[in-house]
Amino acid sequence: AILLSGAQLSTYDQLKITIKEAGHMEEGVPLHLFSAFCSAIIAQTVAMPADTLKTRVLNSNSPRATLISVLVETVRGEGFGALFKGYIPAIMRQGPVIVVQMPIVEQLRALLGVGFL
């Protein structure tokens, strides 16, 4: 959760700033939606390996399973790509949440007179 939220919030703000400064889009809902969509993909990509390993540790039959032992076993046995198993369903679950959440936060801030992020 920390990886997902940290990556999502930091990339959302950075994308918004970069896109506005480059003159590609102005402040508004289209910029918020685009930045949220991109940050959702980045955040899920950052968080996916940790989520996969956590699930594998919790589902392990070995009482000595550690994060490192499961990581080594997974990468040796299945390759690096195994850390991203379930990536598409995770994006399909998390993406819409972030794409709806961030524009709503932006609009609430504007209504409260705080201004956009």
Side-chain angles (χ1 to χ4, degrees), residues 2-68:
I2 291 172
L3 289 174
L4 186 77
S5 295
Q8 180 237 328
L9 294 172
S10 62
T11 56
Y12 175 80
D13 287 339
Q14 190 58 50
L15 283 165
K16 262 187 61 181
I17 292 165
T18 303
I19 292 167
K20 283 193 307 188
E21 286 179 355
H24 296 299
M25 297 176 91
E26 294 180 10
E27 188 69 54
V29 175
L31 174 63
H32 302 162
L33 290 171
F34 182 76
S35 298
F37 175 76
C38 292
S39 71
I41 291 172
I42 294 167
Q44 192 61 52
T45 303
V46 167
M48 194 70 204
D51 286 344
T52 301
L53 290 173
K54 177 193 72 167
T55 299
R56 287 180 179 226
V57 168
L58 293 174
N59 289 336
S60 175
N61 292 330
S62 171
R64 294 187 172 169
T66 64
L67 186 63
I68 300 300

Side-chain angles (χ1 to χ4, degrees), residues 8-9 12 32 98 100-112 114-117:
Q8 180 237 328
L9 294 172
Y12 175 80
H32 302 162
I98 294 173
V100 170
Q101 174 188 14
M102 293 314 295
I104 289 174
V105 168
E106 293 278 10
Q107 295 305 311
L108 287 173
R109 287 178 58 87
L111 287 171
L112 295 173
V114 181
F116 293 115
L117 290 175

Side-chain angles (χ1 to χ4, degrees), residues 63-115:
R64 294 187 172 169
T66 64
L67 186 63
I68 300 300
S69 67
V70 171
L71 171 63
V72 169
E73 180 183 320
T74 299
V75 173
R76 277 189 187 155
E78 302 173 54
F80 184 74
L83 298 175
F84 292 90
K85 281 190 173 178
Y87 181 76
I88 298 299
I91 285 284
M92 292 176 71
R93 179 191 74 240
Q94 193 63 35
V97 171
I98 294 173
V99 168
V100 170
Q101 174 188 14
M102 293 314 295
I104 289 174
V105 168
E106 293 278 10
Q107 295 305 311
L108 287 173
R109 287 178 58 87
L111 287 171
L112 295 173
V114 181

